[in-house]
Amino acid sequence: MYMKASLVFNAIQEEVKMIKKIILITIYLTMSFAQEKLGLQVEGTVTYITIENVYCDLGSEQGVGLGDTLKVLRRNDEIGILVVQSTGRKSSVTIPLVSANLFQLGDRVLFTAKEKKTVSENIIEEKKIEEPIKKKKRTKPLFDQGGSVSLRGNWNEYSGGSQHQRLLGNLNYRLGIDLPLKTQMWIYGHNNFMENSFRLYQMRLEFGDKNDRLFGQVGRLYASELAGIGAVDGAMVSVGKNRRSRVGVLAGYQPRFLKTELSTHVSKIGVYSTNEWKPNKQIIRFNIALVGQYTQNAIDREFLYFRFYWKTKSNYEFSWYETVDMYRDSTIYDRSQIEPISSQISIRYRLGKILTLNSRLSSRRQIVYRQTGTMIADSLFVDELRSGWYNAIQIRTEDWGTLRISSNHRVQTNSSELSQVYSGSYTAPRFRNNIYVRFSSSYIKNMLITGLRNRVSISKSFNGKGSMFADYDLYVYGFGNQLADYNRHTLSFGMNYRLMKKISTNLSMDLSKDGEFNSIYSYFGFSYRL
């Protein structure tokens, strides 16, 4: 048994040496051919998550603006796209194009800013302006497009020789058409070439603007105003004097994400109202929605959703989300006619430019310990933060870096003890040559597991053209009250770099050792920005 394990480990070491050589050659070729001017590319992290919003530490100082799209990565895998809803100097509030449950605190956020002109280009522009030119009628292009197309593959190998490969393609596309009524088409999905399957998250056609009197969408869409209804194959129409006060209706069917044809088995309908006021530089929003889901003319689910948001000019934010299921027949399963199933109260306060306080109380009816593609020891950290009382304090300065300390406590169904998660992280200020260093540590204790996870990360930015990173992760855990039953060491490194003006490449590798179990995870991908 020992001899077999030794042979497997030696074989893995030889493969790692070969892969390192390939990576070095790839980096050299990447640097050699990258000769075109590039747009600014910056990275940040997910810092806070609510039921329908994702917060990150990229803001106006990094060039992020209202309506920009941010890409969220984990192990260089694309988790989803975020659309910026509002920005601060060093932070942004975003709306995800997929469920917010897919994101985790600490996920990498990538933003590619629009290319800025160099000083020499500005001088040339000024000279052109000085020269007398004939006036021409300015014409606006009929079509305006944006987005990205990417191809990525990963290869995994485990102890014993078992392997797993995937080849995925991602599409994030926007097409604007210059018509009297503003028209845009959005497509977001990914294709698994190994399984010959395409998963379409959104494909919608928009008419008008949310600030117009009339705004409509048709296709496969997701409406944040009706959080909880999920994706719908159908149409949504809203009317109002402006964006601050609107009413709308949505109707359609439950989509089958792995198929593009329309399925009429489950129908959905919802009505909503959104209102916004701005008294004395404050922002107050109130949304309410009534949603019904029906299966073959029978009631499948009916619920009421509302959200209240208040932000003062002193950087104080308060939000309250509530989802209540309503049952016409309360005799079934001995349930009441009105049952809250998801509730969240969140407070966020910024004291000047240095201190940020977060507190969130969540009660969400769900299976906490789900079967996922990751080990249960990994998924527990993520699932624990979906419910309970979460508190965090962040101190951020230009000279000393960013320190963040957080905790989460949750009542366990079959135990009198509270489930506990404690986390701390420190991001050092930028060193010379654009090098960043981050330390983090997390402790978890519940009725299933006790664990301690420590991580150190180093990254380097290539002046906006890309970045490299390396992580070392030590995870000590045990089932029950035992802490040190298992030790897992994981070394990760990767790179993303813009080869040309619109073409970029990224690669990463994880080497993991957990007792006698070893694994290699490698990733390589290309993306083209439209």
Side-chain angles (χ1 to χ4, degrees):
M1 178 69 182
Y2 174 78
M3 290 295 293
K4 290 182 179 179
S6 178
L7 290 172
V8 170
F9 186 71
N10 290 335
I12 290 174
Q13 284 184 322
E14 290 298 321
E15 290 179 357
V16 170
K17 290 180 181 178
M18 180 185 68
I19 292 171
K20 284 183 177 179
K21 291 180 180 179
I22 295 174
I23 291 173
L24 291 173
I25 294 172
T26 303
I27 293 174
Y28 175 77
L29 292 174
T30 299
M31 301 294 188
S32 301
F33 288 100
Q35 297 176 349
E36 296 198 34
K37 298 187 300 295
L38 310 171
L40 178 64
Q41 191 177 64
V42 292
E43 284 193 18
T45 58
V46 173
T47 58
Y48 192 55
I49 302 173
T50 64
I51 290 178
E52 63 177 27
N53 291 117
V54 177
Y55 292 70
C56 70
D57 56 3
L58 296 178
S60 58
E61 282 193 356
Q62 290 76 34
V64 177
L66 184 66
D68 284 339
T69 57
L70 312 176
K71 186 184 296 184
V72 180
L73 305 174
R74 189 182 310 139
R75 281 177 161 176
N76 266 345
D77 277 343
E78 183 177 317
I79 307 302
I81 301 293
L82 307 176
V83 180
V84 177
Q85 186 182 36
S86 62
T87 62
R89 198 168 60 92
K90 294 183 179 180
S91 63
S92 295
V93 183
T94 69
I95 299 175
L97 292 184
V98 296
S99 173
N101 290 334
L102 297 177
F103 302 98
Q104 301 177 13
L105 295 177
D107 281 344
R108 294 167 54 223
V109 181
L110 184 65
F111 171 63
T112 303
K114 295 179 180 178
E115 183 181 5
K116 295 183 179 181
K117 294 180 180 179
T118 63
V119 176
S120 59
E121 287 176 327
N122 285 328
I123 293 173
I124 294 173
E125 287 290 333
E126 290 176 3
K127 289 182 178 179
K128 287 182 178 179
I129 293 172
E130 292 174 359
E131 296 176 0
I133 56 174
K134 296 181 180 180
K135 290 185 178 181
K136 294 182 179 180
K137 187 177 180 181
R138 187 176 180 182
T139 58
K140 189 176 180 181
L142 180 61
F143 299 103
D144 173 36
Q145 64 178 0
S148 63
V149 180
S150 63
L151 178 68
R152 67 185 196 271
N154 64 276
W155 168 74
N156 304 343
E157 182 172 325
Y158 309 97
S159 296
S162 61
Q163 297 182 0
H164 180 257
Q165 298 86 25
R166 285 197 312 167
L167 183 62
L168 302 175
N170 264 44
L171 174 64
N172 176 31
Y173 182 71
R174 178 194 62 81
L175 175 65
I177 308 175
D178 185 23
L179 297 174
L181 182 64
K182 183 180 178 182
T183 305
Q184 292 190 105
M185 180 179 69
W186 295 80
I187 301 176
Y188 178 58
H190 76 244
N191 187 73
N192 189 329
F193 293 98
M194 305 295 288
E195 299 177 359
N196 195 25
S197 63
F198 180 73
R199 189 176 183 88
L200 183 64
Y201 291 104
Q202 291 196 43
M203 185 176 68
R204 68 184 190 271
L205 195 63
E206 293 184 354
F207 302 97
D209 187 270
K210 287 190 175 181
N211 294 321
D212 297 339
R213 289 180 176 271
L214 179 65
F215 174 70
Q217 298 182 76
V218 62
R220 179 163 297 178
L221 51 96
Y222 174 83
S224 60
E225 296 87 353
L226 293 161
I229 196 173
V232 174
D233 284 345
M236 185 181 78
V237 178
S238 67
V239 295
K241 292 183 178 180
N242 48 48
R243 191 171 185 172
R244 297 183 181 180
S245 180
R246 305 187 68 86
V247 294
V249 59
L250 179 146
Y253 301 98
Q254 173 69 36
R256 295 183 178 179
F257 291 104
L258 296 178
K259 295 183 179 180
T260 54
E261 64 265 21
L262 184 67
S263 172
T264 60
H265 181 68
V266 179
S267 59
K268 298 180 178 181
I269 187 170
V271 294
Y272 70 90
S273 171
T274 63
N275 297 277
E276 180 179 292
W277 302 272
K278 292 186 177 181
N280 299 323
K281 296 183 179 181
Q282 301 180 68
I283 300 175
I284 300 174
R285 298 192 189 106
F286 179 74
N287 304 348
I288 186 168
L290 179 63
V291 180
Q293 183 170 300
Y294 309 93
T295 304
Q296 296 177 346
N297 298 323
I299 299 174
D300 182 55
R301 184 190 179 202
E302 292 179 328
F303 67 91
L304 180 71
Y305 165 80
F306 73 87
R307 177 199 181 202
F308 176 79
Y309 175 83
W310 175 37
K311 181 179 180 180
T312 68
K313 56 185 178 181
S314 58
N315 292 322
Y316 171 83
E317 294 181 32
F318 171 83
S319 60
W320 177 22
Y321 308 83
E322 193 77 41
T323 302
V324 179
D325 272 12
M326 299 179 296
Y327 302 101
R328 301 186 188 185
D329 188 356
S330 60
T331 60
I332 302 177
Y333 302 120
D334 192 27
R335 61 194 180 191
S336 59
Q337 290 185 322
I338 298 178
E339 287 194 10
I341 64 165
S342 180
S343 178
Q344 185 177 105
I345 296 176
S346 175
I347 298 173
R348 188 169 183 260
Y349 179 69
R350 293 186 60 189
L351 183 60
K353 300 178 181 179
I354 297 177
L355 182 65
T356 302
L357 302 174
N358 291 317
S359 184
R360 185 189 68 206
L361 184 62
S362 303
S363 175
R364 305 175 68 178
R365 186 173 299 181
Q366 65 176 25
I367 300 174
V368 176
Y369 308 121
R370 302 168 299 161
Q371 182 179 1
T372 64
T374 59
M375 294 176 56
I376 187 172
D378 295 311
S379 63
L380 287 179
F381 265 110
V382 179
D383 291 329
E384 278 291 353
L385 298 179
R386 302 188 191 282
S387 293
W389 187 21
Y390 174 83
N391 293 280
I393 179 172
Q394 177 177 291
I395 302 173
R396 182 174 184 174
T397 66
E398 297 289 346
D399 298 329
W400 296 97
T402 303
L403 175 66
R404 185 178 181 87
I405 301 173
S406 64
S407 67
N408 191 80
H409 296 80
R410 181 182 62 83
V411 176
Q412 301 182 96
T413 304
N414 298 318
S415 175
S416 59
E417 297 183 358
L418 293 175
S419 170
Q420 307 167 49
V421 177
Y422 300 96
S423 299
S425 67
Y426 172 70
T427 303
R430 184 179 65 177
F431 292 98
R432 292 182 179 180
N433 301 320
N434 294 325
I435 295 177
Y436 297 85
V437 179
R438 185 175 188 267
F439 306 91
S440 64
S441 181
S442 300
Y443 172 79
I444 183 173
K445 181 177 176 58
N446 56 40
M447 60 186 297
L448 292 182
I449 196 172
T450 302
L452 179 64
R453 191 170 193 174
N454 299 295
R455 177 181 294 177
V456 56
S457 305
I458 301 175
S459 62
K460 173 179 171 56
S461 175
F462 299 130
N463 296 320
K465 300 178 182 180
S467 63
M468 295 181 65
F469 71 90
D471 296 342
Y472 172 69
D473 185 298
L474 174 59
Y475 192 1
V476 181
Y477 65 97
F479 295 100
N481 294 321
Q482 299 298 320
L483 176 63
D485 288 345
Y486 302 93
N487 296 307
R488 192 183 71 196
H489 303 265
T490 303
L491 179 63
S492 307
F493 53 91
M495 180 195 76
N496 65 79
Y497 196 84
R498 191 167 297 278
L499 295 172
M500 300 179 185
K501 188 175 181 179
K502 294 187 177 182
I503 299 177
S504 61
T505 181
N506 45 67
L507 57 90
S508 65
M509 177 174 291
D510 292 354
L511 308 175
S512 184
K513 181 176 176 58
D514 189 346
E516 295 183 356
F517 180 79
N518 305 301
S519 64
I520 300 176
Y521 176 94
S522 58
Y523 169 93
F524 188 79
F526 284 95
S527 64
Y528 177 78
R529 187 163 59 94
L530 302 172

